[in-house]
Amino acid sequence: MKKNIKLNMSRRIRRTPFTNKVEQCGVSDFTVVNHMLLPKGFKKSVEEDYWHLNEHVQIWDVSCQRQVQISGPDAQKLVQKMTPRSIKNMATGKCFYIPIIDENAGMINDPVLLKLDDDMFWISIADSDILLWAKGLALGSNFDVNIVEPDVYPLAVQGPKSEALMVSIFGEDIKKIKFFNFKIFDFLGTKQIIARSGYSRQDGFEIYFKGFEEHFNGVELGEKLWDIIWKAGQKFNISPGCPNLIDRIEAGLLSYGNDFTKENNPLECNLEKYCSECENHEFIGREALKKIKLEGIKQKMRGILFEGEPCLATGKPLSVYSEKNKKIGQIASGIYSPRLKKNIGLSMILKDYWDIGQKLNVETYDGKKRKGIITTLPFPK
Ligand code: THG
């Protein structure tokens, strides 16, 4: 792709409560997720951002992690129908990473589910229109539920200094939030949900900011939140950031639409641990998933380390070949890791080739085939 082509902005590409701030911080690129802007970079390179994220703290506008709010008497029933992961024993205040599958057991999203109450859930989605899927299911099943996209815009604070920073703003109770749990905190007279989670392998928090239209002393509430974090973050060397490709690949965190699509089932995506109790409840795709389990899968998501000059972030996928030149996969997310001093990538790999240590070749944009090897996910520390 040519470098200087611009994306035309319009109302369909939604701004967030933090977009003004992100622009003031010198954002250089955006992408669009769930019809909303997601910053992709600031002044620094992906590598510089990676080191910074590993050592300090960053503020990320991840508002595009839209919430699908399902409430009402049949809320639990509907959510359970959407996923093989059992939510029977899910407590209020918990977050669950869940596969959402269709009738063929194809992945249609991999969101984080939050249980706000027995009859109230948020599905914090990856890039596909789950609101419509949920509404269709509710109509078809005559469920007594209300489904909306609420006024909620996640703002992430990620990195090893995130706890100290969050404590300095919200108090010591921040320390009591365990991984994949949330608590409610007071912010300038409003109630805000804060979870210990995030799309990185560092410690971090996600503030599910509510109040796009609200103001405090004439300033938009979202901008006030950003300013307060920014100011308190100065002594922790805060910088603006976004999900970091190097960190995400090393962590083995998958990106829906890139690394996998509805052509893939959850077992191929290494999500079998969320499908283990699926005998005990009804959900869409149950029969298909059962059949796939019985027959076994043909490919699986793997980490790949490969040689050669440092690779830039993949735009188009890189083909992966066996030593005998058979196509065995494609790397949709790949880049150079300055820590591992090798190129890294994520790819579905055919069964005969997916063992750790398997040798292979990766074809880069220059047409060269580079030597590679299958490794564990997450990548070795
Ligand atoms: N945060 C929130 N919503 C999201 C994402 C997020 N929605 C879209 C996308 N990211 C969903 N994808 C993931 C993938 C993995 C994880 C989080 C979101 C993750 N998984 C942990 C792991 O794999 O170690 C633990 C999962 C668990 O214990 O249940 O962190 O980032 N709000």
Side-chain angles (χ1 to χ4, degrees):
M1 260 243 277
K2 292 223 180 77
K3 197 59 205 165
N4 50 7
I5 298 175
K6 287 201 178 127
L7 183 68
N8 251 301
M9 297 297 180
S10 73
R11 191 176 171 209
R12 278 187 286 114
I13 301 176
R14 299 177 288 175
R15 293 173 68 87
T16 86
F18 316 111
T19 305
N20 291 335
K21 289 291 160 189
V22 161
E23 287 170 344
Q24 283 166 23
C25 284
V27 66
S28 54
D29 307 74
F30 283 110
T31 187
V32 177
V33 171
N34 288 319
H35 320 280
M36 188 170 274
L37 290 171
L38 170 65
K40 280 292 271 188
F42 289 82
K43 286 161 196 144
K44 297 189 198 135
S45 68
V46 184
E47 256 186 50
E48 286 173 291
D49 263 342
Y50 169 81
W51 290 121
H52 182 273
L53 174 62
N54 271 266
E55 286 158 18
H56 304 287
V57 59
Q58 297 186 349
I59 180 171
W60 297 358
D61 177 6
V62 285
S63 298
C64 66
Q65 295 167 3
R66 305 304 304 140
Q67 308 306 302
V68 176
Q69 174 176 301
I70 303 184
S71 60
D74 292 331
Q76 167 127 2
K77 252 203 252 171
L78 174 57
V79 173
Q80 188 61 94
K81 192 168 176 153
M82 294 166 73
T83 179
R85 182 161 182 186
S86 173
I87 61 164
K88 201 171 100 199
N89 297 321
M90 185 178 192
T92 297
K94 277 295 299 174
C95 310
F96 270 16
Y97 181 43
I98 58 167
I100 294 184
I101 59 175
D102 67 13
E103 72 283 10
N104 304 313
M107 291 289 299
I108 56 174
N109 208 288
D110 68 326
V112 176
L113 173 69
L114 288 79
K115 181 165 175 178
L116 305 183
D117 211 331
D118 288 336
D119 59 356
M120 165 78 95
F121 295 84
W122 283 352
I123 305 177
S124 182
I125 57 175
D127 193 21
S128 74
D129 294 311
I130 292 303
L131 182 89
L132 302 178
W133 176 253
K135 282 176 80 85
L137 291 176
L139 281 172
S141 308
N142 256 318
F143 282 155
D144 186 1
V145 288
N146 183 37
I147 303 174
V148 295
E149 183 179 298
D151 164 29
V152 174
Y153 300 83
L155 183 64
V157 177
Q158 302 282 304
K161 297 180 183 169
S162 59
E163 187 185 76
L165 169 54
M166 291 294 281
V167 164
S168 78
I169 300 165
F170 296 100
E172 290 289 324
D173 278 356
I174 283 287
K175 292 185 184 164
K176 294 188 192 149
I177 313 174
K178 292 198 206 96
F179 184 60
F180 263 58
N181 283 258
F182 67 82
K183 288 187 188 296
I184 298 168
F185 287 80
D186 183 80
F187 174 69
L188 303 177
T190 67
K191 297 261 175 274
Q192 304 290 344
I193 284 181
I194 302 180
R196 194 164 210 140
S197 56
Y199 204 47
S200 86
R201 79 148 140 203
Q202 312 303 321
D203 189 16
F205 298 85
E206 292 181 302
I207 305 163
Y208 286 78
F209 170 70
K210 190 178 182 73
F212 199 166
E213 304 283 309
E214 288 176 42
H215 290 78
F216 183 84
N217 287 343
V219 181
E220 284 185 25
L221 194 62
E223 302 203 346
K224 192 80 199 165
L225 175 62
W226 180 289
D227 286 342
I228 286 172
I229 296 171
W230 188 256
K231 198 159 165 239
Q234 291 313 306
K235 73 171 190 235
F236 302 103
N237 193 13
I238 194 170
S239 87
C242 54
N244 183 280
L245 188 61
I246 306 169
D247 176 83
R248 175 175 83 71
I249 296 174
E250 287 185 355
L253 296 171
L254 306 185
S255 164
Y256 185 69
N258 287 313
D259 303 315
F260 65 109
T261 68
K262 70 174 169 10
E263 307 311 316
N264 300 114
N265 63 62
L267 310 180
E268 291 176 338
C269 303
N270 297 329
L271 301 177
E272 57 276 347
K273 58 177 173 290
Y274 306 119
C275 303
S276 58
E277 300 160 328
C278 70
E279 302 301 323
N280 305 328
H281 67 271
E282 279 301 327
F283 57 94
I284 289 164
R286 181 170 143 161
E287 286 314 307
L289 188 59
K290 213 167 157 180
K291 188 157 173 268
I292 293 165
K293 271 191 179 177
L294 220 67
E295 289 173 357
I297 52 174
K298 299 180 180 72
Q299 55 178 358
K300 211 173 194 352
M301 186 56 66
R302 286 292 184 240
I304 294 175
L305 285 166
F306 61 105
E307 309 285 332
E309 305 98 77
C311 259
L312 297 176
T314 43
K316 299 176 289 192
L318 306 174
S319 294
V320 182
Y321 296 93
S322 73
E323 290 182 295
K324 287 189 177 151
N325 233 9
K326 176 181 154 105
K327 186 160 175 201
I328 58 172
Q330 56 168 13
I331 295 176
S333 299
I335 194 166
Y336 180 72
S337 163
R339 188 176 60 85
L340 296 167
K341 299 197 168 56
K342 286 216 164 48
N343 294 305
I344 56 174
L346 297 171
S347 172
M348 291 280 173
I349 295 288
L350 293 182
K351 185 173 180 175
D352 289 345
Y353 305 90
W354 74 27
D355 288 342
I356 310 297
Q358 171 72 47
K359 290 183 183 151
L360 44 79
N361 293 303
V362 177
E363 185 174 5
T364 43
Y365 301 135
D366 53 16
K368 283 187 199 152
K369 292 223 170 119
R370 306 185 181 195
K371 287 202 167 89
I373 191 169
I374 306 265
T375 182
T376 52
L377 279 182
F379 279 74
K381 279 265 177 196

Short mmCIF file of all heavy atoms in Angstrom, two decimals, residues 65 85 95-97 110-112 124-126 179-180 197-199 206 208 253-254 274, ligand 1:
data_model
loop_
_atom_site.label_atom_id
_atom_site.label_comp_id
_atom_site.label_asym_id
_atom_site.label_seq_id
_atom_site.Cartn_x
_atom_site.Cartn_y
_atom_site.Cartn_z
N GLN A 65 -13.57 -1.22 21.71
CA GLN A 65 -14.03 -2.45 22.38
C GLN A 65 -15.45 -2.12 22.87
O GLN A 65 -15.68 -1.81 24.03
CB GLN A 65 -13.12 -2.81 23.55
CG GLN A 65 -11.71 -3.19 23.14
CD GLN A 65 -10.74 -3.24 24.32
OE1 GLN A 65 -11.10 -3.05 25.47
NE2 GLN A 65 -9.48 -3.49 24.03
N ARG A 85 -18.47 -21.68 26.52
CA ARG A 85 -17.96 -21.57 27.89
C ARG A 85 -19.12 -21.48 28.85
O ARG A 85 -20.02 -20.66 28.67
CB ARG A 85 -17.05 -20.34 28.03
CG ARG A 85 -16.47 -20.22 29.42
CD ARG A 85 -15.26 -19.32 29.51
NE ARG A 85 -14.74 -19.32 30.88
CZ ARG A 85 -13.77 -18.56 31.32
NH1 ARG A 85 -13.18 -17.72 30.50
NH2 ARG A 85 -13.36 -18.63 32.58
N CYS A 95 -14.86 -11.12 34.95
CA CYS A 95 -14.73 -11.03 33.50
C CYS A 95 -14.37 -12.43 33.00
O CYS A 95 -13.55 -13.10 33.63
CB CYS A 95 -13.61 -10.09 33.11
SG CYS A 95 -13.64 -8.47 33.90
N PHE A 96 -14.97 -12.85 31.91
CA PHE A 96 -14.65 -14.14 31.28
C PHE A 96 -14.29 -13.88 29.82
O PHE A 96 -15.03 -13.18 29.13
CB PHE A 96 -15.88 -15.07 31.27
CG PHE A 96 -16.05 -15.96 32.46
CD1 PHE A 96 -15.35 -15.75 33.64
CD2 PHE A 96 -16.93 -17.04 32.39
CE1 PHE A 96 -15.54 -16.60 34.74
CE2 PHE A 96 -17.12 -17.89 33.46
CZ PHE A 96 -16.42 -17.68 34.64
N TYR A 97 -13.19 -14.45 29.38
CA TYR A 97 -12.88 -14.45 27.94
C TYR A 97 -13.70 -15.58 27.33
O TYR A 97 -13.61 -16.71 27.78
CB TYR A 97 -11.38 -14.68 27.77
CG TYR A 97 -10.87 -14.69 26.35
CD1 TYR A 97 -11.29 -13.76 25.42
CD2 TYR A 97 -9.90 -15.62 25.96
CE1 TYR A 97 -10.79 -13.76 24.12
CE2 TYR A 97 -9.39 -15.63 24.66
CZ TYR A 97 -9.83 -14.71 23.75
OH TYR A 97 -9.33 -14.71 22.48
N ASP A 110 -14.56 -13.07 19.87
CA ASP A 110 -13.90 -13.61 21.07
C ASP A 110 -13.84 -12.50 22.12
O ASP A 110 -12.78 -11.99 22.45
CB ASP A 110 -12.50 -14.15 20.75
CG ASP A 110 -11.51 -13.05 20.36
OD1 ASP A 110 -11.94 -12.06 19.74
OD2 ASP A 110 -10.33 -13.18 20.72
N PRO A 111 -15.00 -12.12 22.67
CA PRO A 111 -15.04 -10.97 23.57
C PRO A 111 -14.67 -11.30 25.02
O PRO A 111 -14.47 -12.46 25.38
CB PRO A 111 -16.51 -10.57 23.52
CG PRO A 111 -17.22 -11.87 23.34
CD PRO A 111 -16.33 -12.70 22.47
N VAL A 112 -14.61 -10.24 25.81
CA VAL A 112 -14.56 -10.38 27.26
C VAL A 112 -15.98 -10.14 27.77
O VAL A 112 -16.61 -9.13 27.41
CB VAL A 112 -13.60 -9.34 27.88
CG1 VAL A 112 -13.62 -9.42 29.39
CG2 VAL A 112 -12.18 -9.52 27.34
N SER A 124 -17.85 -7.37 25.78
CA SER A 124 -16.87 -6.38 25.31
C SER A 124 -16.20 -6.94 24.05
O SER A 124 -15.26 -7.71 24.10
CB SER A 124 -15.84 -6.14 26.41
OG SER A 124 -14.91 -5.16 26.01
N ILE A 125 -16.73 -6.51 22.90
CA ILE A 125 -16.48 -7.26 21.67
C ILE A 125 -15.21 -6.90 20.90
O ILE A 125 -14.72 -5.79 20.95
CB ILE A 125 -17.69 -7.13 20.70
CG1 ILE A 125 -17.99 -5.65 20.38
CG2 ILE A 125 -18.90 -7.82 21.28
CD1 ILE A 125 -19.09 -5.47 19.32
N ALA A 126 -14.74 -7.92 20.15
CA ALA A 126 -13.75 -7.74 19.09
C ALA A 126 -14.53 -7.30 17.84
O ALA A 126 -15.74 -7.04 17.91
CB ALA A 126 -13.00 -9.05 18.86
N PHE A 179 -6.88 -10.09 38.66
CA PHE A 179 -6.89 -10.26 37.20
C PHE A 179 -8.24 -10.79 36.73
O PHE A 179 -8.78 -11.75 37.27
CB PHE A 179 -5.77 -11.22 36.78
CG PHE A 179 -5.65 -11.39 35.28
CD1 PHE A 179 -5.36 -10.30 34.46
CD2 PHE A 179 -5.81 -12.64 34.70
CE1 PHE A 179 -5.25 -10.46 33.08
CE2 PHE A 179 -5.69 -12.80 33.31
CZ PHE A 179 -5.41 -11.71 32.52
N PHE A 180 -8.80 -10.14 35.74
CA PHE A 180 -10.10 -10.49 35.15
C PHE A 180 -11.26 -10.39 36.14
O PHE A 180 -12.23 -11.16 36.10
CB PHE A 180 -10.05 -11.85 34.43
CG PHE A 180 -9.84 -11.68 32.94
CD1 PHE A 180 -8.72 -11.01 32.44
CD2 PHE A 180 -10.77 -12.15 32.02
CE1 PHE A 180 -8.54 -10.81 31.07
CE2 PHE A 180 -10.60 -11.96 30.64
CZ PHE A 180 -9.47 -11.29 30.18
N SER A 197 -7.43 -5.92 33.45
CA SER A 197 -7.44 -6.65 32.18
C SER A 197 -6.82 -5.77 31.12
O SER A 197 -6.43 -4.63 31.39
CB SER A 197 -8.89 -6.99 31.79
OG SER A 197 -9.68 -5.82 31.73
N GLY A 198 -6.73 -6.30 29.91
CA GLY A 198 -6.20 -5.49 28.81
C GLY A 198 -5.53 -6.35 27.77
O GLY A 198 -5.17 -7.49 28.04
N TYR A 199 -5.38 -5.75 26.61
CA TYR A 199 -4.90 -6.50 25.46
C TYR A 199 -3.38 -6.42 25.38
O TYR A 199 -2.80 -5.95 24.40
CB TYR A 199 -5.55 -5.88 24.22
CG TYR A 199 -5.67 -6.76 23.02
CD1 TYR A 199 -6.15 -8.06 23.10
CD2 TYR A 199 -5.31 -6.27 21.76
CE1 TYR A 199 -6.26 -8.85 21.97
CE2 TYR A 199 -5.43 -7.06 20.63
CZ TYR A 199 -5.90 -8.35 20.75
OH TYR A 199 -6.02 -9.12 19.63
N GLU A 206 -8.56 -1.59 32.77
CA GLU A 206 -9.45 -1.00 31.78
C GLU A 206 -10.57 -0.28 32.53
O GLU A 206 -11.27 -0.88 33.35
CB GLU A 206 -10.02 -2.07 30.84
CG GLU A 206 -8.93 -2.66 29.94
CD GLU A 206 -9.44 -3.71 28.97
OE1 GLU A 206 -10.03 -4.72 29.41
OE2 GLU A 206 -9.26 -3.54 27.76
N TYR A 208 -14.01 1.26 32.17
CA TYR A 208 -15.15 1.24 31.24
C TYR A 208 -15.89 2.57 31.38
O TYR A 208 -16.96 2.65 31.99
CB TYR A 208 -16.06 0.04 31.55
CG TYR A 208 -15.48 -1.29 31.12
CD1 TYR A 208 -14.49 -1.93 31.86
CD2 TYR A 208 -15.92 -1.90 29.95
CE1 TYR A 208 -13.96 -3.15 31.45
CE2 TYR A 208 -15.39 -3.13 29.53
CZ TYR A 208 -14.42 -3.73 30.28
OH TYR A 208 -13.89 -4.94 29.87
N LEU A 253 -1.92 -13.25 22.02
CA LEU A 253 -3.30 -12.73 22.01
C LEU A 253 -3.75 -12.58 20.56
O LEU A 253 -3.09 -11.92 19.74
CB LEU A 253 -3.36 -11.37 22.72
CG LEU A 253 -3.03 -11.40 24.21
CD1 LEU A 253 -2.91 -9.98 24.76
CD2 LEU A 253 -4.07 -12.18 24.99
N LEU A 254 -4.87 -13.21 20.23
CA LEU A 254 -5.33 -13.25 18.84
C LEU A 254 -6.21 -12.05 18.51
O LEU A 254 -6.86 -11.49 19.37
CB LEU A 254 -6.11 -14.53 18.60
CG LEU A 254 -5.41 -15.83 18.96
CD1 LEU A 254 -6.25 -17.03 18.56
CD2 LEU A 254 -4.04 -15.90 18.32
N TYR A 274 -11.91 -23.19 26.96
CA TYR A 274 -13.21 -22.54 27.18
C TYR A 274 -14.37 -23.36 26.59
O TYR A 274 -15.50 -22.90 26.56
CB TYR A 274 -13.20 -21.14 26.59
CG TYR A 274 -12.04 -20.31 27.12
CD1 TYR A 274 -11.06 -19.80 26.27
CD2 TYR A 274 -11.91 -20.06 28.49
CE1 TYR A 274 -9.98 -19.07 26.76
CE2 TYR A 274 -10.84 -19.34 28.99
CZ TYR A 274 -9.89 -18.85 28.13
OH TYR A 274 -8.83 -18.13 28.62
N1 THG B 1 -10.39 -5.92 26.59
C1 THG B 1 -11.74 -5.77 26.54
N2 THG B 1 -12.45 -6.16 25.48
C2 THG B 1 -11.81 -6.71 24.42
C3 THG B 1 -10.43 -6.91 24.43
C4 THG B 1 -9.70 -6.49 25.56
N3 THG B 1 -12.53 -7.10 23.35
C5 THG B 1 -11.87 -7.51 22.14
C6 THG B 1 -10.57 -8.23 22.37
N4 THG B 1 -9.78 -7.50 23.35
C7 THG B 1 -10.83 -9.61 22.86
N5 THG B 1 -9.65 -10.43 22.89
C8 THG B 1 -8.97 -10.76 24.04
C9 THG B 1 -8.11 -11.83 24.01
C10 THG B 1 -7.47 -12.23 25.17
C11 THG B 1 -7.63 -11.54 26.35
C12 THG B 1 -8.43 -10.45 26.36
C13 THG B 1 -9.14 -10.07 25.23
C14 THG B 1 -6.93 -11.97 27.59
N6 THG B 1 -6.87 -13.27 27.86
C15 THG B 1 -6.16 -13.78 29.02
C16 THG B 1 -5.12 -14.78 28.55
O1 THG B 1 -5.28 -15.32 27.45
O2 THG B 1 -4.17 -15.00 29.30
C17 THG B 1 -6.99 -14.39 30.11
C18 THG B 1 -8.35 -14.88 29.80
C19 THG B 1 -9.12 -15.43 30.99
O3 THG B 1 -8.54 -15.71 32.06
O4 THG B 1 -10.36 -15.61 30.87
O5 THG B 1 -6.48 -11.16 28.36
O6 THG B 1 -8.46 -6.59 25.63
N7 THG B 1 -12.35 -5.21 27.57
#
